[in-house]
Amino acid sequence: MNTARDLFVLTLEVPSSRPIAQGDVSLVLAGAELVDLRDAHVLRLDGDRIVPLDDHADGTNALTAQASAQLVTEPPYETVEEWLWRRGRGLAGSYADDLAARTAGDARGGLLPRFLRPFATNRSQEPSVRPRHEATDPHQGLDDSVLAAFAGTLGIGEAAPPQPTEPADTTTADQADDVGLILAVVSDALTELEAERQRRRIEQDAYDNVWRAP
């Protein structure tokens, strides 16, 4: 149940085919958390609605427990899209701080990548070394189909959404459907976020041109 944590490390360790913005990482992390919470039997999906099954996530890490505590517990519940935008706000910073706390004093690796520094919400806790995936080559994480699928939404690897093996039992098929739905909503949210960035750039360029005019 560490899909989101592993995903964040992959964004640091494995090159992407395009620049990765903090907002993009945050949205995808929020999606990965839903998979972790589903696997912990904390929630189920009813269509695109997130239905809580328990009040908390026992035996999970602090961030997953925090995510569990933020689930909407009253009908009609929250959609996956609503969750991504709410839970995803600044989430990359939370994972940066979590990584800082877990790797404090770790002598492995080199200097912290420059692009991680803006993620941190508590600068005094920034790790002084580059975090590494626990005792593994970070590229090996891409062998996990679900992790690879989420990484692929950020341009890391070229993995397709995971598909159930044949013959698949009902539970396996349902899990694959859940992951596919979450990935589709994540992809749409990333497209929407990029469209908003472009709109703001166009507006800023137009504003700048007005002030440059003679």
Side-chain angles (χ1 to χ4, degrees), residues 32 36 60 111 116 118 170:
D36 288 339
T60 62
L111 294 177
L116 173 60
T170 302

Side-chain angles (χ1 to χ4, degrees), residues 38 41 164 168-178:
R38 181 211 60 185
H41 306 291
D169 60 31
T170 302
T171 299
T172 302
D174 288 346
Q175 289 174 343
D177 288 345
D178 288 347

